Amino acid sequence: MNILIIGSGGREHAIATSVVRSPLAKQVYCAPGNAGIGQIAECVPIGAMEFDKLADFAEEKNIGLTIVGMDDPLVGGIVDVFEKRGLRIFGPRKNAAIIEGSKAFSKELMKKYNIPTAAYEIFKDADEAFSYLEGANMPIVVKASGLALGKGVLICNTLPEAKSAVRSIMIDKKFGDAGNEVVIEEFLTGREVSVLCFCDGTNIKPMTSAQDHKRAGDGDTGLNTGGMGTFSPSPFYTAEIKKFCEEKVFAPTMDAMKKEGRDFVGVLFVGLILTEDGPKVLEYNARFGDPEAQVVLPRMKNDIIEVMEACIDGKLDEIELEFENNAAVCVMLASKGYPGDYEKGKEIVGLEAFNDTDDYYVFHSGTKYENGKFYTNGGRVLGVTAIGPTIKIARWGAYRATEWINFENKYMRTDIVLSAENI
Ligand code: AMP
Ligand code: GLY
């Protein structure tokens, strides 16, 4: 069948890489795609928010399955538009994608259904938030409720910092309408684990675990980013924790969404923090993580199209998810300055080293291709993933492979995995 993937990041490149391996895929398109995706699929210059144009394209090209990688179109209701036109699409409808689109919604859901999460308050009014902060313990976490490219969460150590976080989100509208509401929550400490789960509205099947490194700098310093590197599986996600999460988090979340009349079909990303009091949910996302997808999908044995079709058809119970008994590490190559200001348009050399190997992948995020050459075109530029029998060996491979690639102002964290390596 013909497939259309929607998005333009490393996650979509990882999805496309799995899709083209499936014997079920005929022609694969990606809108709008990027330079790397363009090497394995046909990129189509339609924006991810141009729902009608995308649906026209899907009809015209006889697309049998559209896969949405990004959050914005899901939260904006692309699945509803496609379904109305009788087009098959993988992802949650608007009324379910709200689990990512509104942190206020997801916190209320967790409270109502007893799903473990940080204590919190929600505010629509800045003055009320300020006066609440006066009596609150520090550190504290201030979050814009809406979508903010993974940057709308501010961890504040002092009262003035917390007030200025509320001011920038609610009054200065740093993240636009995403800051109409804020969630202020208890600061938790512990290891973070991301578990991406396939869902068919009723059944939920977790994939192998992963850990992201969100801060820009080594030693978890600097600003939060979309993600600077990942590894999979997480050695901290033990069998016991997994059982707890399946029973107390994943299944209850599915049931809660069903009871609310918001059946969730697609990938539910559960961001967990493993505290001394047990695992708690930090966030939900309504799609694959980026760069979590770059370490989880290369380890998946199943045919990705078969699994996605089972989700859409409500038959996920018939699928056994299987992952290789190995490890993967992804190191993100960014433009120096990210997530602040950075320069674009730097020539990238060395990508050909990744051809013809199954143990190394280079997933493009912000790149463009012009006159036979690749150039940087974003903050996060390339995700370099290596597979190995252990995390330690995969880490060694990933850092070795980062040396094959060069561009001016190349920046990466040098400590991806380090804190987990001796487990
Ligand atoms: P979120 O987008 O809600 O996952 O938040 C982004 C990142 O902020 C998380 O991955 C954590 O590193 C951090 N974070 C969010 N909420 C909390 C919390 N309640 N306590 C400590 N850190 C948090
Ligand atoms: N890596 C975190 C995210 O995709 O939201």
Side-chain angles (χ1 to χ4, degrees):
M1 90 183 77
N2 295 339
I3 310 276
L4 170 63
I5 300 167
I6 295 176
S8 58
R11 166 184 45 215
E12 287 74 25
H13 195 179
I15 294 171
T17 302
S18 295
V19 163
V20 297
R21 286 185 175 172
S22 166
L24 297 171
K26 254 165 68 187
Q27 184 68 36
V28 182
Y29 301 93
C30 187
N34 64 32
I37 298 171
Q39 307 289 298
I40 56 171
E42 191 176 325
C43 293
V44 189
I46 307 177
M49 297 305 283
E50 297 183 280
F51 301 166
D52 289 325
K53 278 193 190 167
L54 289 167
D56 291 344
F57 179 84
E59 267 172 15
E60 185 194 318
K61 297 291 183 185
N62 197 18
I63 301 290
L65 174 67
T66 297
I67 302 166
V68 190
M70 290 170 74
D71 45 13
D72 283 321
L74 290 169
V75 171
I78 189 171
V79 171
D80 307 64
V81 170
F82 270 58
E83 283 184 347
K84 242 184 230 138
R85 290 176 62 167
L87 294 163
R88 269 169 86 78
I89 182 162
F90 177 79
R93 293 184 188 138
K94 185 173 182 166
N95 76 352
I98 191 175
I99 200 166
E100 170 165 9
S102 165
K103 288 189 191 288
F105 169 86
S106 73
K107 294 298 286 189
E108 302 282 50
L109 186 86
M110 288 187 267
K111 188 188 220 170
K112 182 167 171 190
Y113 292 93
N114 255 327
I115 297 165
T117 189
Y120 70 97
E121 295 289 335
I122 297 170
F123 298 95
K124 287 199 165 100
D125 179 89
D127 286 329
E128 283 176 25
F130 289 138
S131 55
Y132 169 79
L133 285 173
E134 294 286 348
N137 290 331
M138 299 292 141
I140 203 158
V141 187
V142 179
K143 302 183 173 186
S145 179
L147 294 182
L149 293 171
K151 294 167 198 160
V153 172
L154 301 161
I155 293 167
C156 308
N157 289 309
T158 62
L159 180 61
E161 261 180 55
K163 284 189 169 174
S164 112
V166 168
R167 204 170 299 119
S168 74
I169 294 174
M170 298 194 88
I171 298 173
D172 304 340
K173 293 275 188 232
K174 190 168 174 199
F175 307 107
D177 284 346
N180 290 348
E181 256 181 317
V182 290
V183 173
I184 299 185
E185 72 177 38
E186 167 197 15
F187 175 76
L188 298 175
T189 49
R191 291 270 168 198
E192 289 185 39
V193 181
S194 307
V195 184
L196 318 184
C197 309
F198 282 107
C199 305
D200 72 357
T202 307
N203 302 289
I204 178 161
K205 297 233 165 161
M207 297 176 228
T208 181
S209 61
Q211 185 181 320
D212 191 8
H213 295 65
K214 286 216 168 78
R215 300 293 200 97
D218 281 355
D220 286 334
T221 54
L223 293 173
N224 261 344
T225 68
M228 293 301 294
T230 36
F231 59 89
S232 170
S234 163
F236 305 103
Y237 190 67
T238 59
E240 191 192 345
I241 293 175
K242 180 168 181 269
K243 183 161 182 284
F244 177 92
C245 291
E246 286 175 358
E247 287 170 4
K248 305 284 189 211
V249 177
F250 306 153
T253 303
M254 263 335 252
D255 292 348
M257 290 297 276
K258 197 168 217 26
K259 287 205 181 101
E260 296 291 313
R262 298 172 184 273
D263 294 20
F264 190 99
V265 178
V267 170
L268 181 70
F269 167 138
V270 187
L272 297 156
I273 185 159
L274 311 178
T275 74
E276 278 185 355
D277 301 329
K280 297 193 179 184
V281 177
L282 280 181
E283 64 165 345
Y284 293 111
N285 295 316
R287 35 119 191 130
F288 283 100
D290 191 348
E292 284 85 348
Q294 287 94 306
V295 286
V296 168
L297 288 179
R299 300 186 52 230
M300 188 165 89
K301 287 191 194 174
N302 303 72
D303 181 320
I304 191 170
I305 298 179
E306 233 170 66
V307 179
M308 289 179 169
E309 295 247 88
C311 290
I312 297 172
D313 294 332
K315 292 183 176 164
L316 191 56
D317 53 327
E318 293 173 13
I319 299 266
E320 189 73 47
L321 285 186
E322 286 187 277
F323 289 83
E324 302 285 355
N325 186 21
N326 58 11
V329 172
C330 172
V331 177
M332 193 56 70
L333 300 183
S335 303
K336 198 166 158 198
Y338 171 78
D341 293 338
Y342 53 82
E343 291 172 28
K344 294 182 186 176
K346 307 293 182 194
E347 189 183 344
I348 304 168
V349 295
L351 291 166
E352 60 290 344
F354 290 81
N355 295 344
D356 306 319
T357 153
D358 275 344
D359 292 334
Y360 296 94
Y361 297 81
V362 61
F363 296 117
H364 291 230
S365 297
T367 62
K368 70 177 178 198
Y369 188 69
E370 259 173 27
N371 303 323
K373 289 182 175 171
F374 292 91
Y375 295 91
T376 67
N377 196 35
R380 292 192 296 174
V381 178
L382 299 161
V384 173
T385 294
I387 307 292
T390 64
I391 295 242
K392 197 170 188 143
I393 295 172
R395 176 180 195 275
W396 178 84
Y399 275 105
R400 175 170 172 256
T402 62
E403 290 168 14
W404 304 341
I405 295 173
N406 268 310
F407 55 87
E408 202 182 315
N409 293 341
K410 173 175 121 179
Y411 169 77
M412 66 185 143
R413 274 185 65 164
T414 64
D415 64 347
I416 301 303
V417 172
L418 269 195
S419 59
E421 217 178 28
N422 297 322
I423 294 291

